[in-house]
Amino acid sequence: MLAYMALILALLTTGIATIFYCKAYRSPASTEETAILFYRTAACAILIASGYLLYFLLSDNFRYEYVFSYSAHKQAFAYKISAFWAGQEGSFLLWALFHTVFGLFLSRKKAPAAMAAFCALQLLLLVVLVCKSPFRPMPGLEADGMGMNPLLQDPWMVIHPPFVFLGYAALAVPFALSIHGLFTGHHKEVIAQSLPWTLFAWSSLGAGIFMGGYWAYKVLGWGGYWAWDPVENSSLVPWLVTGALLHLLLLARVRNTAVKYAYLAAISNFVLILYGTYLTRSGVLDNFSTHSFSNEGMGGLLGSILLLTAVSGLVILVWYWSKMPNEPLYVHVKSREFCLCATAIILAVISLIVFIGMSTPLVTGFWGHPASIDTAFYNTAALPLTAAMVVLLAEGTLLPWGDNSALHLQKYWWLGGIAFIAVILTFIAGIDNLFAMITVGAAAATAAATLTALHNKILPWPAGVAHLGLSIALVGIIFSSLASQSVTTSFEPGQRQEVLGQGVTYMGKQSDAAGNTFYHEFALDTPLNTVLLPHTKLSAAGEPAVHEPGIYRGLTADLYLTPALQSNDVQKYQLHKDEKITPEGLEIKFIRFTMNSGPEGDIKAAAILEVTKDGIVQEVTPELIPQKGQLFRVPVTVFNYEIALTSLNIKDGEAEITLRSLESINKPEKLETEISRKPLMSFVWLGAILVTLGTVWAALKHRCTICTLAKKLHDKLSME
């Protein structure tokens, strides 16, 4: 009760702070002091609510529905903490917590219009939390919780969501500062203050995206790190727009007219964050994403918040648009200003393409046939634009501000030679896509140009590190995507095969002491004594829940082993009521399903099947029994076969069963395994790390610069 009351208090005090900040825009300073007092009260209340949720999770307080759904007694300590943001309610509370902390920093800037906008956004987050509270009590007392999804019980998933929400929360600051700039006309002040926040948001959101990609690569076992999934795209679009915003802010320092485009990017970016939140949490993507939230009745509320924010922000922007500076964005095409402007436009166009793709299920749903777009759409549309952007990066890195620099560029003709050699090497490596070759050539030229610019001190080190990281990451992405090789083969225990130039021996299957995980052991010829252990973790119900591949990481390539998820001896079938199938000399007919009360009042489901072999008919009833939030299978044996019920769709009258011959248990086990060679994967991760480090470094540098300028201004005013 106290935790929920803290949320109510935060909502009320944030609302009052919003009103006082609106008054402080035109009233004496005492009004702003009152607003700060209420804002700090709201911050304390959100901190208390967050502390309560963490305490409930760590103390296994299963009286609350959220704790019951995402934690359990045996759950590791780190995952009890990460359960905080594993569900909808907890992740909104984490977002609100970060948002509030950033608001405390912003409140020191004495910018009441910015704080009014910032508090309004905080108010909307708190409305969601009050309506969808993580402190809802359970209807009855539970001895243990369901536990977090085994897929999420991974160290990378402990830190991936907080980084994403740090980025989301930080991007509220450029949004609020843009509103402040529109009302006050203090554009230079707004640009200077927005830069470090934008850099911080770009680095944290980018780090979160890269962590998610790394987790997908090492855990999901499908061999990639990016699938253009709508949930992935919902964070990629704000990251791309943040990149455009950053380049516009840099341009706005020398060309005043870029200010209004920077405001447009800042406002629309936060609206896009809310749009992505609506898509992933309203149930719109239920059938199109493997990790979106299901429909929990929040669609209307989130849609209203999105609409309110979009209309308010854009109306203010349109109202003040004509009053902002209006002059050419650049004078010469061969200038740094043009490169910054063109890069911002390209990033915006790529984000628009991804936006269209991820919105397709929603738009097509209006016509009654929701559909998604194939990944080829994204690759085909984004690759030429990426190539153009990297060409601009190679050129713009060495260009000075303002002047027509055609003669200046002639000094660096050798960059073209480096790009040409890189293109030839890419072609020899087996990549014949024109835009991919251009991208690799331009990335090599960018790396050389960046090192030259750093040597000549015409590029700051943070920007140089980020540019180098982007060049390296793009080369890794192109090679790992287009030059990968893959072979699927069958192993028996002790068998050695030569696969993709590597000797691989399957040593057999083993299980851990607790029986919660089983491993397939593979030995590689080189390096000697290298062992890979792709493994499968079991859920509490004893069902396979997580399949992690075995990866040998090399500087030039990764070797990626993925055993088949299901034994060939186990066949899966789906039957509708009265439908017959005839596998392996049997005739199986789905008669009907039954629903009965279990020993603890739970409803257990069963499928009644008629199995016929050689004219003999037997009726069997495989069951699904719920226990502690899990469904346990109770298989049956008939005619030397085992039949298990795996799922039951009562609405459509459909049952899914598995069939396994009991004779196969005594046969030597064969294992289907996909083995892939993925070149330059290390470049992807190294580049991502460098981009993150460079942007964090730049954010700290700009923050220090602002603090120094503010101190000088304060000292000057004190002397006067």
Side-chain angles (χ1 to χ4, degrees):
M1 179 58 80
L2 286 176
Y4 187 69
M5 292 305 295
L7 288 179
I8 297 286
L9 176 64
L11 178 72
L12 294 175
T13 49
T14 300
I16 296 170
T18 307
I19 295 170
F20 275 100
Y21 272 121
C22 289
K23 290 180 66 177
Y25 171 59
R26 295 188 181 279
S27 300
S30 59
T31 309
E32 187 172 2
E33 293 299 321
T34 308
I36 290 174
L37 180 63
F38 276 103
Y39 186 80
R40 289 174 180 171
T41 305
C44 290
I46 292 173
L47 187 62
I48 290 170
S50 303
Y52 264 114
L53 181 57
L54 187 60
Y55 171 72
F56 292 155
L57 287 165
L58 295 179
S59 60
D60 297 328
N61 193 335
F62 301 117
R63 289 181 301 170
Y64 294 94
E65 189 178 316
Y66 188 84
V67 180
F68 171 78
S69 301
Y70 298 102
S71 188
H73 280 301
K74 292 184 178 179
Q75 196 157 295
F77 180 77
Y79 302 132
K80 286 185 179 180
I81 294 176
S82 65
F84 189 113
W85 45 84
Q88 292 236 42
E89 301 88 339
S91 58
F92 270 116
L93 184 55
L94 182 71
W95 187 353
L97 179 64
F98 288 154
H99 185 99
T100 307
V101 172
F102 292 159
L104 292 174
F105 286 102
L106 186 62
S107 65
R108 298 166 60 185
K109 300 297 180 185
K110 304 296 181 185
M115 277 305 294
F118 196 86
C119 286
L121 296 179
Q122 183 168 304
L123 195 64
L124 297 176
L125 283 174
L126 287 166
V127 167
V128 174
L129 275 170
V130 168
C131 295
K132 192 73 177 175
S133 165
F135 304 112
R136 288 194 307 275
M138 288 287 290
L141 185 62
E142 296 290 341
D144 201 356
M146 294 171 61
M148 196 160 55
N149 185 332
L151 274 174
L152 302 180
Q153 296 187 36
D154 182 272
W156 288 101
M157 290 309 287
V158 173
I159 54 177
H160 157 68
F163 272 86
V164 172
F165 285 110
L166 272 176
Y168 286 174
L171 284 171
V173 179
F175 175 96
L177 287 171
S178 297
I179 300 297
H180 177 77
L182 288 168
F183 276 116
T184 63
H186 298 162
H187 302 310
K188 289 293 182 186
E189 173 191 333
V190 167
I191 295 303
Q193 292 184 6
S194 295
L195 255 176
W197 285 102
T198 303
L199 283 162
F200 174 76
W202 207 34
S203 62
S204 55
L205 186 54
I209 292 172
F210 295 141
M211 287 176 193
Y214 187 77
W215 167 79
Y217 180 71
K218 72 176 276 291
V219 171
L220 297 185
W222 60 278
Y225 45 87
W226 192 260
W228 297 109
D229 183 282
V231 173
E232 297 170 349
N233 292 340
S234 67
S235 57
L236 177 65
V237 169
W239 186 75
L240 290 168
V241 177
T242 306
L245 170 62
L246 174 62
H247 287 80
L248 288 169
L249 289 172
L250 293 172
L251 181 59
R253 295 192 301 178
V254 295
R255 309 296 297 182
N256 290 332
T257 196
V259 167
K260 56 186 176 186
Y261 299 107
Y263 289 171
L264 173 62
I267 292 171
S268 57
N269 202 15
F270 199 80
V271 172
L272 286 168
I273 290 172
L274 295 178
Y275 177 72
T277 304
Y278 166 75
L279 274 188
T280 55
R281 294 166 183 262
S282 63
V284 171
L285 302 177
D286 269 358
N287 299 321
F288 300 96
S289 173
T290 55
H291 45 217
S292 69
F293 288 99
S294 58
N295 185 2
E296 297 180 11
M298 297 180 66
L301 177 61
L302 294 175
S304 302
I305 289 173
L306 166 65
L307 195 62
L308 180 63
T309 309
V311 171
S312 304
L314 294 178
V315 163
I316 295 171
L317 181 66
V318 170
W319 182 264
Y320 286 97
W321 187 266
S322 61
K323 300 175 184 176
M324 285 189 285
N326 190 21
E327 60 186 33
L329 281 170
Y330 56 89
V331 179
H332 301 288
V333 171
K334 292 180 178 177
S335 65
R336 183 169 288 194
E337 290 93 322
F338 173 79
C339 290
L340 287 172
C341 182
T343 301
I345 292 172
I346 289 174
L347 285 168
V349 173
I350 296 175
S351 68
L352 179 63
I353 290 169
V354 181
F355 174 83
I356 292 171
M358 76 180 197
S359 303
T360 305
L362 175 66
V363 175
T364 53
F366 290 135
W367 282 271
H369 301 286
S372 62
I373 283 182
D374 190 78
T375 55
F377 163 79
Y378 298 101
N379 295 328
T380 305
L383 188 54
L385 292 166
T386 304
M389 185 182 70
V390 190
V391 169
L392 283 168
L393 192 60
E395 182 182 0
T397 299
L398 292 167
L399 286 177
W401 296 99
D403 297 333
N404 184 345
S405 307
L407 293 175
H408 181 80
L409 280 178
Q410 289 178 6
K411 289 194 302 183
Y412 301 106
W413 59 269
W414 48 270
L415 288 175
I418 290 177
F420 181 74
I421 292 171
V423 168
I424 296 299
L425 292 176
T426 306
F427 182 75
I428 292 172
I431 297 174
D432 57 1
N433 182 297
L434 175 63
F435 293 112
M437 290 191 293
I438 293 174
T439 301
V440 174
T446 298
T450 300
L451 293 174
T452 304
L454 290 173
H455 180 263
N456 295 335
K457 299 181 179 179
I458 57 177
L459 188 70
W461 270 96
V465 171
H467 286 187
L468 277 176
L470 180 63
S471 305
I472 293 170
L474 284 173
V475 172
I477 290 169
I478 294 293
F479 273 82
S480 62
S481 303
L482 300 180
S484 286
Q485 297 171 284
S486 184
V487 171
T488 300
T489 185
S490 179
F491 283 94
E492 289 185 6
Q495 184 181 11
R496 179 189 177 281
Q497 295 188 44
E498 193 78 19
V499 183
L500 299 173
Q502 172 68 273
V504 182
T505 304
Y506 176 46
M507 308 301 290
K509 181 178 173 181
Q510 55 183 286
S511 175
D512 67 354
N516 297 325
T517 305
F518 61 85
Y519 302 85
H520 295 288
E521 182 177 345
F522 290 85
L524 305 183
D525 285 2
T526 53
L528 195 62
N529 298 325
T530 301
V531 174
L532 301 183
L533 293 170
H535 57 276
T536 299
K537 296 179 183 175
L538 304 179
S539 67
E543 299 295 334
V546 180
H547 308 277
E548 292 198 18
I551 307 173
Y552 172 70
R553 303 175 195 281
L555 182 62
T556 57
D558 284 5
L559 194 70
Y560 196 93
L561 275 73
T562 313
L565 302 184
Q566 183 182 346
S567 167
N568 288 334
D569 295 326
V570 178
Q571 305 299 325
K572 186 177 289 185
Y573 302 96
Q574 290 180 330
L575 297 94
H576 287 90
K577 193 177 176 185
D578 296 327
E579 183 182 355
K580 294 179 183 177
I581 56 173
T582 55
E584 303 193 17
L586 300 174
E587 181 183 278
I588 303 175
K589 181 180 179 181
F590 177 24
I591 305 297
R592 65 180 184 277
F593 60 83
T594 64
M595 305 289 285
N596 298 307
S597 296
E600 298 180 359
D602 295 326
I603 302 297
K604 66 178 182 179
I608 298 177
L609 306 173
E610 188 178 271
V611 184
T612 305
K613 183 178 182 183
D614 299 332
I616 303 173
V617 181
Q618 290 196 28
E619 189 173 276
V620 295
T621 311
E623 296 178 329
L624 280 176
I625 298 178
Q627 189 175 351
K628 295 181 179 178
Q630 304 282 343
L631 285 174
F632 290 84
R633 300 173 189 172
V634 182
V636 294
T637 302
V638 58
F639 300 128
N640 214 25
Y641 285 87
E642 181 186 89
I643 299 178
L645 176 65
T646 55
S647 68
L648 195 62
N649 186 334
I650 296 172
K651 180 181 177 185
D652 297 331
E654 185 182 73
E656 184 181 87
I657 63 169
T658 58
L659 177 69
R660 182 175 66 154
S661 169
L662 297 181
E663 294 177 357
S664 66
I665 296 175
N666 298 319
K667 292 181 181 176
E669 183 186 16
K670 282 191 173 183
L671 184 69
E672 292 288 324
T673 303
E674 183 180 7
I675 302 177
S676 305
R677 183 179 181 278
K678 300 180 177 298
L680 301 187
M681 278 303 304
S682 58
F683 279 39
V684 177
W685 314 126
L686 174 63
I689 292 170
L690 290 177
V691 169
T692 304
L693 288 178
T695 47
V696 169
W697 189 358
L700 293 173
K701 186 177 177 183
H702 278 284
R703 175 159 178 75
C704 292
T705 302
I706 291 172
C707 291
T708 303
L709 291 175
K711 187 174 185 307
K712 286 181 179 177
L713 179 62
H714 180 268
D715 293 343
K716 183 179 177 181
L717 291 174
S718 300
M719 290 176 65
E720 290 175 357

